[in-house]
Amino acid sequence: MSRIAYVNGHYVPHRDAAVHIEDRAYQFADGVYEVCEVRAGRLIDERRHMERLKRSLRELRIAEPMGEASLGVVLREVARRNRIRDGIVYLQVSRGVAPRNHGFPDPAVRPAVVVTARRLDIAAAERRAAKGVAVVTVPETRWARVDIKSVSLLPNVLAKQAATEAGAFEAWFVDADGLVTEGSSSNAWIVTAEDVLVTAPADLGVLRGVTRTLVVEVAARLGLAFQERRYSLKEALAAKEAFMTSATSLVTPIVKVDGQMIGDGRAGALSRALRFHSRDAAERGGELSSPRMAVLTKD
Ligand code: PMP
């Protein structure tokens, strides 16, 4: 089956899908994006992804390319045309196509929209989560506005490549004060010896992950202790558990940081419970079916 992409109002074969060389995302990384998980053919947390997209556009003063409902139709249509049951849809909005000048095009041009979709290997993701993954740390070199989900991702690209070359799955950024900010494409969490979930505040310096928000809600409903605060790499290395969150990895336990074992070196009980409940809640549109399960799986 041939893949289909959406490009500026048209559904086109993926192999022919192209944007103009003067698209500002191509020239300046002047665009934003979202990655939304598709599970059992349904978009997960669509509303939050749309809200974050609108915020990113607002912060960069890029016009909304179309109404939220129409955009939702396009996302679902691309998923449907590609027969995605479990996978992701990728949405990118750039400031548009204009002669190359750094300042905004004047008069403004229409924002350019691209949507693609692809399958994810769910079984492989489950195996990875059951085993837990390794991360390596890299210096935080990104700009101060990583709260905007812009396509300007070069430090993230280099970080992920460093992880891959080290045989790890993800890279964590550590700032000049020795504090963990987030992963190259995920939020970073630890569980303290007292079973407190900790992740960095999602204001400046960290992207407000949709999965992060979901996990905060799930943790609250499970009665788990949660602190939104900065933490050091040193604290992370001494943590009982660690995990990462993102739309594509959901909650994935971390068992090694820079070659050092976290906890007993196995996927943590709370991390696994949060994975289970977060998936469950996402599939139910935010509802939690069995709030006591985490306690049972905590062993
Ligand atoms: N931080 C960064 C830098 C990311 O790229 C992502 C993935 N989009 C996340 C965090 C996690 O966000 P989400 O849960 O919305 O996928």
Side-chain angles (χ1 to χ4, degrees):
M1 191 201 81
S2 61
R3 290 177 68 196
I4 302 292
Y6 173 92
V7 184
N8 294 324
H10 304 282
Y11 294 95
V12 294
H14 191 272
R15 63 175 174 276
D16 302 328
V19 294
H20 195 275
I21 56 165
E22 287 196 306
D23 186 296
R24 288 184 60 98
Y26 180 66
Q27 299 268 0
F28 295 115
D30 189 1
V32 301
Y33 74 105
E34 282 294 325
V35 177
C36 191
E37 191 191 358
V38 180
R39 197 161 330 119
R42 289 182 41 228
L43 296 184
I44 300 291
D45 254 330
E46 180 182 350
R47 187 181 52 78
R48 283 197 184 115
H49 284 286
M50 289 294 184
E51 273 171 17
R52 188 172 62 184
L53 174 73
K54 286 199 271 185
R55 178 182 183 277
S56 295
L57 291 170
R58 220 170 31 242
E59 291 294 319
L60 297 179
R61 293 197 279 148
I62 298 175
E64 283 178 31
M66 58 178 101
E68 188 175 322
S70 309
L71 209 46
V73 169
V74 172
L75 294 182
R76 276 186 291 279
E77 187 59 15
V78 173
R80 191 189 68 78
R81 288 189 188 219
N82 288 284
R83 307 220 178 103
I84 306 291
R85 214 186 122 68
D86 298 306
I88 53 158
V89 282
Y90 174 86
L91 161 68
Q92 180 175 313
V93 181
S94 87
R95 197 180 302 280
V97 176
R100 189 181 182 282
N101 288 305
H102 287 63
F104 296 175
D106 184 17
V109 292
R110 281 164 61 104
V113 184
V114 169
V115 180
T116 57
R118 71 180 164 91
R119 297 201 171 122
L120 287 183
D121 185 344
I122 295 294
E126 284 309 321
R127 283 196 298 275
R128 192 160 50 230
K131 226 172 124 216
V133 299
V135 309
V136 293
T137 61
V138 294
E140 179 63 275
T141 53
R142 300 175 302 160
W143 73 324
R145 294 308 309 275
V146 296
D147 56 302
I148 301 169
K149 201 162 169 57
S150 94
V151 296
S152 172
L153 290 170
L154 200 43
N156 310 59
V157 167
L158 296 177
K160 190 76 95 189
Q161 183 60 22
T164 304
E165 287 173 10
F169 182 66
E170 176 59 303
W172 275 2
F173 290 112
V174 177
D175 72 13
D177 298 323
L179 302 171
V180 176
T181 54
E182 62 180 335
S184 74
S185 60
S186 59
N187 289 111
W189 298 67
I190 56 169
V191 181
T192 70
E194 296 77 32
D195 285 340
V196 181
L197 306 174
V198 184
T199 195
D203 39 36
L204 298 184
V206 170
L207 181 78
R208 187 177 292 280
V210 167
T211 320
R212 176 190 184 282
T213 304
L214 177 71
V215 168
V216 171
E217 285 179 3
V218 167
R221 273 182 274 169
L222 293 170
L224 299 175
F226 165 65
Q227 286 174 358
E228 195 177 55
R229 65 167 170 83
R230 313 259 271 152
Y231 59 90
S232 66
L233 174 59
K234 195 162 164 256
E235 183 176 359
L237 291 172
K240 189 169 170 187
E241 300 182 23
F243 61 91
M244 55 186 271
T245 58
S246 73
T248 43
S249 69
L250 192 58
V251 175
T252 296
I254 291 170
V255 293
K256 236 186 220 179
V257 176
D258 286 342
Q260 291 192 44
M261 222 159 77
I262 303 298
D264 64 2
R266 289 181 301 172
L270 277 184
S271 308
R272 285 186 287 124
L274 283 167
R275 180 176 177 86
F276 173 84
H277 286 293
S278 300
R279 175 181 316 100
D280 188 56
E283 284 175 356
R284 289 164 190 274
E287 289 306 309
L288 205 57
S289 61
S290 48
R292 291 177 53 206
M293 182 64 88
V295 180
L296 298 178
T297 53
K298 219 171 119 182
D299 62 42

